[in-house]
Amino acid sequence: MRKITAFIFDLDGVITDTSEFHYQAWQRLADEEGIPFSRAENEKLRGVSRRESLNLMLKGRVISEETAQAWMERKNRYYIDLVKTLDPSGVLPGVKTLLTDLKAAGLLAAIASSSKNAPLVIEKLALGSYFDAIVDGLIVTKSKPAPDLFLRAAQELGSPAAECVVVEDAAAGIDAGKAAGMLTIGLGPQERIGHADLPLPDLSQTHLSDLLKQLQTK
Ligand code: B16
Ligand code: MG
């Protein structure tokens, strides 16, 4: 049976629904600049860095580096305005129970987020005390699907990669978790996270004991 010592959580779309805020901020920028963009297209932006998100939104349009920087700053301002409205009620269903159960079971928990705004989001949600390590887009610049964020989190926890479980909502995040040699729980529709070791709609109906039972046989 596989030994599991740590859970490493993605932030946007797993702990809270800030993925919706990212979408709204990109949509606003795209509308202002007359670039066609949609919620469906936004699915490809989940979990990927701000720069790569801009490239995906541009769909081959060429802009100067100065404009790219200005647009990313503008999108980030729109995003932060939305994050400021967050409070602890924004923690997604099932998350607090799982974090509490992990602590009670003596397992470790970390955040590994591509976002440079991760510390602000965690502060607004008042979740800091639940995590033994927080790794964000400022600490590790190579973003998902590269495994670097998850490997750094495992290193900070002192857990071997093979003993870590990644919880992700993004296709790129599942790819990153697998590349790190970790078990993966995917949250969301099958077409997005169906390649995870354990795909689930969300965390609202999950119990730690059931998760461990299913993952330990993988
Ligand atoms: P920022 P995660 C990711 O966070 C988001 O899913 C992605 O949409 C965003 O572009 C990326 O962070 C960078 O965020 O612009 O705030 O630095 O899902 O890895 O927690
Ligand atoms: Mg995410």
Side-chain angles (χ1 to χ4, degrees):
M1 204 157 67
R2 188 154 174 165
K3 189 176 170 195
I4 293 172
T5 54
F7 274 55
I8 304 178
F9 294 86
D10 169 57
L11 180 64
D12 296 321
V14 168
I15 300 291
T16 184
D17 207 8
T18 34
S19 42
E20 175 64 21
F21 293 170
H22 280 293
Y23 161 64
Q24 287 179 21
W26 284 120
Q27 183 72 63
R28 184 171 166 191
L29 177 71
D31 289 348
E32 285 170 356
E33 296 301 335
I35 297 170
F37 188 65
S38 66
R39 190 176 280 279
E41 279 176 53
N42 183 70
E43 286 300 302
K44 293 195 207 102
L45 276 56
R46 273 181 194 262
V48 304
S49 69
R50 198 178 303 173
R51 185 60 195 240
E52 183 57 20
S53 296
L54 176 66
N55 292 343
L56 289 169
M57 193 201 81
L58 288 173
K59 295 178 284 279
R61 285 172 182 76
V62 179
I63 56 174
S64 71
E65 183 53 28
E66 205 186 338
T67 305
Q69 292 299 336
W71 286 13
M72 284 190 289
E73 269 165 41
R74 179 146 42 112
K75 180 268 169 179
N76 197 48
R77 273 203 311 278
Y78 298 156
Y79 176 69
I80 286 178
D81 282 347
L82 293 166
V83 166
K84 282 184 185 154
T85 67
L86 264 185
D87 65 26
S89 69
V91 178
L92 285 170
V95 169
K96 267 217 164 149
T97 309
L98 180 56
L99 291 172
T100 306
D101 291 350
L102 284 169
K103 271 220 179 318
L107 297 179
L108 297 166
I111 288 280
S113 168
S114 307
S115 176
K116 296 185 168 101
N117 296 298
L120 173 66
V121 173
I122 292 162
E123 186 200 314
K124 296 297 271 178
L125 298 172
L127 282 183
S129 64
Y130 287 91
F131 297 105
D132 303 291
I134 295 174
V135 180
D136 62 29
L138 288 170
I139 299 171
V140 175
T141 47
K142 203 164 171 202
S143 82
K144 304 160 188 177
D148 302 45
L149 276 154
F150 292 126
L151 291 173
R152 175 65 182 260
Q155 191 192 351
E156 291 202 9
L157 293 174
S159 283
E163 296 179 11
C164 294
V165 177
V166 161
V167 188
E168 259 291 349
D169 70 311
I174 301 294
D175 294 340
K178 288 187 171 230
M182 300 177 181
L183 286 166
T184 51
I185 296 175
L187 305 180
Q190 283 288 330
E191 58 270 25
R192 196 172 77 212
I193 49 78
H195 56 310
D197 295 302
L198 182 57
L200 297 171
D202 54 48
L203 289 174
S204 65
Q205 305 299 322
T206 52
H207 297 282
L208 177 60
S209 52
D210 293 340
L211 291 181
L212 291 175
K213 228 179 279 166
Q214 293 183 71
L215 289 166
Q216 275 161 344
T217 57
K218 301 281 177 192

